[in-house]
Amino acid sequence: LQDSAVFQCEATNKHGTILASANVNVLNIAPLILTSDGENYATVVGYSAFLHCDIFASPAADVRWTKDDSIEPLSTFRYDLNKNGTLEIRDTKKEDSGSYACWAANSVGKRAITANLDIRDATKLVVTPKNPRVLKSHSILLKCQAEYDSHLKHSFKLSWRKDGDELPVNSTEGGRIILDRDTLFISSVLLEDQGVYTCVASTALDTAQAEAQLIVLDVPDPPEDLQLSENQNRSIRLSWKAGASHNSPVNESIIEFEENRWEPERWQELSRVPGNDTTALLSLAPYVNYQFRVVSVNAVGRSQPSKPSLRYATPPAAPDKNPENIRVEASEPNEMVMKWEPLKPVERNGPGLEYKVSWRQRGVETDWNEELVKKHSLSVRNVPTFVPYEIKVQAVNNLGSGPEPNITIGYSGEDVPDAAPSGVSVEVVNSTLVKVFWFGIPRDRVRGHLKGYKVNWWKTKSLLDGKRHHPEKHFLTFVGDRNSGMIPGLEPFSEFRLTVLAFNSRGDGPESSPVVFETPEGVPEQPRFLRILNFDQDSVTLSWGLPKKANGHLTGYILQYQIINETHEVGPVSDVSVTNRSALSWRLAGLSPSTKYKFYAKACTAKGCGKAATEEGLTLAQGSKGSGKISDAVKPTPKFQPSEALEPGTEYTIRLVTKNWVDNNSIFEDVIETRGRAYAGIYDGISTQGWFIGLMCAIALLTLLLLTICFVRRNKGGKYSVKEKEDLHPDPEAQSIKDEIFGEYSDSDEKPLKGSLQSLNGDIKATGSADSLVDYGEGEHGMFNEDGSFIGAYSGSKEKGSVESTGSSTATFPLHA
């Protein structure tokens, strides 16, 4: 303290003296911390943090830092205490966050301040794709994916640089390069777009960047500076300089040539060299004025051709080769047309090219016939039909002939075979398949190259009805020299005729004599329909149609039924055999009430049963009444007069359809044939005679008189028809079921005349000729006649059909032919 004083410095020379004073005040001062207390600091992980503690003290103060509640000073290798009191924390981590205290002390006193440190997450960037390779003229999208601390989002900024130069935010080059925040899109990439693209992100605390190396791929630049050397008559060396490969190495170079004599300006490939070779020794043909160019090829594609080289003309020479593919094409009998592939222009080797054609019959010791031609074909007439010839074709030009040609065998013109196969026989395999055997015709009768055999067949008649058929021919071709073949798809139970012929390139030979064979019976097709006519609690009446093709004599039908439900489970199948082949309906008894069944009907012949027609239905519940009044639904209607609408001598299919079955499925179907015009002519002649007209008038008057008497007697007796009884005492439940099954019938156009049903019924019972299915089915439940028809009489049948059901009327349905 005693050193406190004023000190002076005096400077003197010959011109005078000057003084300067200094005041020295020696004091004892407690540490004074100039940095504010409670300062907040922040940095990111991995960066250094600097916590300041500026101190003024006399004597000099001792400084130390502590963290949180610890009194121990920080002394690890990651902490540095600078001379000015600042604490540096290197390579910060998340756990470095917290509260720090700076302590300053000297002999006079002690002071302290606190500082708070926050450690933020470092900003991270990834650019995808990392190192893209893109074809020229294609597009590329670079995306910069950034991760940064949420506390720094307000200061976060992103930018792009190319090769160190920042790219402007707005789109450049007319929209070809577009920057949109974290994406960089380049369309129609150019070669100059190649480079390093860097994404730079910055926050208030740190900076990060990621880069991608964009490589632009393109076809090579065309080769340059073509040079010719080592000139020879048939070779020359071509050298060139390769162009830039554009990031894809050259795989090969293609050397092309153009000659201006035959095909000017048409470039053709001559040779290829691999890899990066830039020279090639080229093999040349005589009598060609060459010009060359080179195309480089890499993985992207072919370069543009180089500029052409100088021309080089080779001297002429005799031909080096003869024509190829010598052949004799199909021609007229007694003619031979020889053809060959002409030499290419570069194969001519000199001017005046011609072809010397030589031929002679094979196996005959004669001189060669020769002729010089300029075209590439020669026709020779007056030769035997289909005889082998030896043929040679040699190339010739003004400088000489080509090498000795090879001999080719060809045949003169063909003619159709002149013999038919013999020993034709047929082996029946089954009802639709036969195997045909034959002996092939002799080789010398083929008169050409045998192509194969054709089998023709046609149906002559059906063995079921003996009806003859218009012969419709079918044929099957068997290629090659063979003596048998299979004929599928025949109609069972039919008579056929069959012939076999041979054919060659010229056409078909004569047919063999027809062979007659018969196919055995087969299984029938499925019945045309299967319908449920009547349901009861424990029974059902089924009706079915005849199969479209019986394929033999029907022996009966197989009926099957099984319980089904809404699941996949089904009950066992029960079979009922109907041995009456004329039956077309059946009553199945012993069913369960309120149960859904599936029914099957198969037609059978001696060979077996065909496919089944199917139908599903639900039996009635206990206490319900079924409806069996078939005749109420089946009413004759005067709307259709067959005698006026049908064509004479024509087959017709007759169907009976209930009114409310909108799907047009019939409950009966049969085929009839109307009488021919010869019958119509007889009746027309009778109807025009006067005596016939008078007789018809007398019969009509007597009939009217008898009807009047019957009507009067009937009214006196108080009798009425079954139909009227039903109308007087209807069963509401039965009527509703009947309406549900068969629909409603209009009285205006379908109700029969009053009393007509009784009279019709009476006639049928009196004659005793209308057979009911009572004689063929299951007792009283039979509902159709033998042939299953409602039709009483039609051409070709003398039976009268009837429909009969308990408690209902019976009516016949005449069909006038």
Side-chain angles (χ1 to χ4, degrees):
L1 291 179
Q2 57 267 29
D3 291 329
S4 296
V6 175
F7 296 87
Q8 285 184 321
C9 171
E10 179 180 341
T12 304
N13 64 9
K14 64 179 182 179
H15 299 290
T17 300
I18 189 172
L19 289 174
S21 298
N23 236 358
V24 177
N25 221 357
V26 179
L27 302 174
N28 275 347
I29 301 175
L32 177 64
I33 300 178
L34 305 179
T35 302
S36 301
D37 187 20
E39 284 281 350
N40 293 318
Y41 299 91
T43 189
V44 296
V45 174
Y47 279 57
S48 293
F50 296 90
L51 307 183
H52 300 294
C53 188
D54 292 336
I55 299 172
F56 177 76
S58 182
D62 178 31
V63 179
R64 62 188 177 91
W65 284 85
T66 61
K67 184 175 185 296
D68 297 331
D69 297 331
S70 174
I71 59 174
E72 294 296 325
L74 299 174
S75 60
T76 66
F77 69 93
R78 290 195 304 114
Y79 298 100
D80 275 340
L81 182 61
N82 297 335
K83 293 180 179 180
N84 60 1
T86 298
L87 175 67
E88 179 183 357
I89 307 174
R90 297 189 301 273
D91 192 17
T92 56
K93 301 177 181 178
K94 273 290 192 179
E95 53 266 27
D96 290 331
S97 298
S99 177
Y100 291 82
C102 175
W103 300 88
N106 61 8
S107 58
V108 180
K110 181 168 65 173
R111 293 286 178 87
I113 61 170
T114 61
N116 299 314
L117 177 62
D118 288 324
I119 305 299
R120 308 298 186 192
D121 290 328
T123 303
K124 298 178 181 179
L125 296 179
V126 175
V127 175
T128 56
K130 180 64 176 174
N131 293 309
R133 299 168 69 87
V134 62
L135 296 176
K136 179 186 174 183
S137 301
H138 287 222
S139 59
I140 181 66
L141 176 69
L142 297 177
K143 187 171 181 63
C144 184
Q145 298 173 335
E147 292 182 9
Y148 53 89
D149 196 291
S150 59
H151 296 85
L152 305 176
K153 63 181 180 179
H154 297 295
S155 62
F156 178 79
K157 292 181 181 179
L158 202 63
S159 61
W160 288 90
R161 298 175 185 173
K162 179 181 182 295
D163 297 331
D165 298 328
E166 186 167 348
L167 294 172
V169 176
N170 296 328
S171 61
T172 61
E173 299 184 30
R176 196 178 63 83
I177 301 177
I178 300 175
L179 276 71
D180 183 11
R181 298 180 183 176
D182 60 345
T183 61
L184 171 62
F185 178 74
I186 306 175
S187 62
S188 301
V189 171
L190 305 176
L191 292 174
E192 51 265 30
D193 292 328
Q194 180 169 301
V196 177
Y197 289 82
T198 306
C199 174
V200 180
S202 61
T203 66
L205 297 179
D206 68 339
T207 300
Q209 65 181 33
E211 62 183 33
Q213 175 82 31
L214 176 61
I215 298 174
V216 180
L217 305 176
D218 195 11
V219 298
D221 287 341
E224 300 174 344
D225 194 20
L226 272 63
Q227 301 290 332
L228 297 176
S229 62
E230 303 178 21
N231 301 2
Q232 301 293 329
N233 287 347
R234 297 204 175 195
S235 68
I236 198 169
R237 179 169 293 280
L238 177 67
S239 303
W240 63 91
K241 291 182 180 178
S245 63
H246 297 305
N247 302 307
S248 178
V250 174
N251 299 326
E252 63 178 355
S253 296
I254 302 174
I255 302 169
E256 299 176 336
F257 76 94
E258 178 262 354
E259 52 81 25
N260 58 3
R261 181 172 286 114
W262 295 285
E263 296 177 292
E265 298 183 3
R266 177 174 177 261
W267 289 91
Q268 305 174 61
E269 183 176 321
L270 178 63
S271 178
R272 294 191 178 209
V273 295
N276 292 319
D277 290 353
T278 57
T279 182
L281 185 63
L282 307 178
S283 297
L284 307 180
Y287 199 56
V288 178
N289 191 16
Y290 284 99
Q291 189 177 31
F292 306 101
R293 71 182 187 185
V294 183
V295 176
S296 296
V297 183
N298 65 5
V300 180
R302 297 164 60 121
S303 71
Q304 290 294 319
S306 66
K307 293 181 180 179
S309 69
L310 299 175
R311 286 198 176 272
Y312 178 69
T314 55
D320 293 324
K321 61 182 297 186
N322 292 314
E324 297 176 346
N325 192 20
I326 301 168
R327 62 200 182 276
V328 177
E329 294 191 349
S331 58
E332 297 295 325
N334 308 115
E335 182 184 21
M336 182 170 62
V337 178
M338 297 169 282
K339 293 186 177 181
W340 54 89
E341 293 293 333
L343 295 182
K344 298 178 181 177
V346 295
E347 296 172 340
R348 299 186 177 189
N349 287 8
L353 179 68
E354 291 182 307
Y355 300 101
K356 185 173 74 171
V357 184
S358 306
W359 73 95
R360 69 181 178 186
Q361 189 171 337
R362 188 179 185 185
V364 179
E365 293 296 330
T366 59
D367 294 334
W368 288 91
N369 300 289
E370 294 184 351
E371 187 170 339
L372 275 173
V373 295
K374 292 186 177 181
K375 56 185 180 179
H376 52 278
S377 67
L378 176 62
S379 177
V380 179
R381 299 184 182 277
N382 301 321
V383 294
T385 300
F386 199 66
V387 172
Y389 276 84
E390 296 178 341
I391 303 168
K392 297 189 297 185
V393 181
Q394 187 178 31
V396 180
N397 65 14
N398 294 346
L399 283 82
S401 301
E404 182 63 26
N406 296 324
I407 295 176
T408 302
I409 305 300
Y411 284 80
S412 55
E414 301 182 37
D415 202 350
V416 296
D418 62 355
S422 60
V424 179
S425 62
V426 176
E427 177 187 317
V428 177
V429 179
N430 56 41
S431 60
T432 62
L433 177 67
V434 299
K435 187 172 185 180
V436 185
F437 300 90
W438 63 86
F439 294 122
I441 65 175
R443 182 65 62 186
D444 59 339
R445 304 296 295 275
V446 178
R447 301 204 295 178
H449 294 287
L450 179 66
K451 294 296 185 182
Y453 291 87
K454 288 183 183 177
V455 177
N456 301 296
W457 72 93
W458 61 96
K459 181 179 176 180
T460 53
K461 69 177 180 180
S462 170
L463 299 180
L464 184 61
D465 54 13
K467 186 177 179 181
R468 295 206 164 266
H469 287 254
H470 178 72
E472 181 182 353
K473 280 200 171 185
H474 308 271
F475 73 90
L476 201 57
T477 300
F478 297 94
V479 178
D481 188 6
R482 53 190 296 176
N483 55 14
S484 66
M486 305 290 282
I487 307 297
L490 301 176
E491 291 188 31
F493 212 43
S494 302
E495 181 186 89
F496 291 88
R497 293 200 175 200
L498 176 145
T499 63
V500 184
L501 61 86
F503 69 96
N504 58 21
S505 300
R506 289 290 297 171
D508 297 341
E511 297 184 53
S512 65
S513 299
V515 174
V516 179
F517 68 92
E518 296 178 353
T519 53
E521 288 189 85
V523 297
E525 294 185 359
Q526 70 181 39
R528 295 172 187 258
F529 62 87
L530 176 62
R531 291 288 178 264
I532 301 170
L533 293 186
N534 185 23
F535 251 128
D536 208 341
Q537 297 175 10
D538 60 352
S539 66
V540 62
T541 301
L542 300 177
S543 172
W544 59 89
L546 292 169
K548 185 176 181 181
K549 290 183 180 179
N551 294 335
H553 294 293
L554 291 179
T555 59
Y557 298 88
I558 296 294
L559 303 181
Q560 297 175 314
Y561 60 94
Q562 63 183 151
I563 297 175
I564 60 174
N565 52 30
E566 301 303 326
T567 67
H568 294 292
E569 298 178 2
V570 294
V573 178
S574 301
D575 292 353
V576 174
S577 178
V578 180
T579 57
N580 180 8
R581 63 186 182 187
S582 301
L584 290 175
S585 70
W586 198 265
R587 177 175 174 270
L588 296 175
L591 305 181
S592 301
S594 302
T595 304
K596 191 174 183 181
Y597 283 89
K598 187 169 185 177
F599 301 96
Y600 308 83
K602 303 177 183 178
C604 303
T605 63
K607 286 292 184 179
C609 301
K611 293 183 179 179
T614 63
E615 184 62 286
E616 296 179 7
L618 184 68
T619 54
L620 299 179
Q622 293 279 4
S624 300
K625 293 183 179 181
S627 175
K629 297 181 174 64
I630 303 302
S631 61
D632 288 347
V634 182
K635 299 178 181 180
T637 173
K639 285 187 176 180
F640 176 63
Q641 299 295 335
S643 61
E644 298 174 3
L646 301 184
E647 290 289 334
T650 307
E651 282 191 358
Y652 286 92
T653 299
I654 306 299
R655 289 193 181 99
L656 188 64
V657 184
T658 56
K659 184 177 180 181
N660 67 331
W661 282 348
V662 296
D663 58 356
N664 289 330
N665 287 325
S666 59
I667 61 171
F668 167 77
E669 186 170 328
D670 207 343
V671 179
I672 67 165
E673 182 177 356
T674 55
R675 292 194 180 100
R677 296 195 178 276
Y679 294 102
I682 294 173
Y683 295 126
D684 290 344
I686 294 175
S687 63
T688 58
Q689 303 298 321
W691 64 269
F692 180 79
I693 296 173
L695 180 60
M696 291 297 102
C697 291
I699 293 173
L701 289 173
L702 288 173
T703 304
L704 182 60
L705 181 60
L706 288 172
L707 288 174
T708 304
I709 294 171
C710 291
F711 182 78
V712 171
R713 293 185 63 186
R714 176 178 174 276
N715 286 341
K716 287 182 180 181
K719 295 180 180 179
Y720 53 89
S721 67
V722 177
K723 173 64 179 173
E724 289 171 334
K725 184 185 290 186
E726 290 178 359
D727 294 338
L728 291 173
H729 304 285
D731 183 347
E733 185 175 354
Q735 181 66 31
S736 65
I737 295 174
K738 179 187 73 174
D739 292 344
E740 181 180 352
I741 297 177
F742 298 107
E744 298 180 358
Y745 289 80
S746 171
D747 291 337
S748 62
D749 56 4
E750 295 184 352
K751 182 180 289 185
L753 293 174
K754 198 171 187 180
S756 64
L757 293 177
Q758 182 189 27
S759 62
L760 289 170
N761 194 24
D763 293 341
I764 292 170
K765 291 179 179 179
T767 60
S769 62
D771 295 330
S772 166
L773 284 181
V774 172
D775 298 331
Y776 306 103
E778 292 183 10
E780 62 181 12
H781 298 284
M783 305 189 66
F784 291 81
N785 65 353
E786 291 174 320
D787 60 359
S789 173
F790 289 112
I791 300 171
Y794 58 89
S795 176
S797 175
K798 296 181 180 179
E799 299 176 354
K800 292 183 179 179
S802 67
V803 180
E804 183 170 339
S805 179
T806 305
S808 65
S809 302
T810 303
T812 62
F813 297 86
L815 184 64
H816 305 287

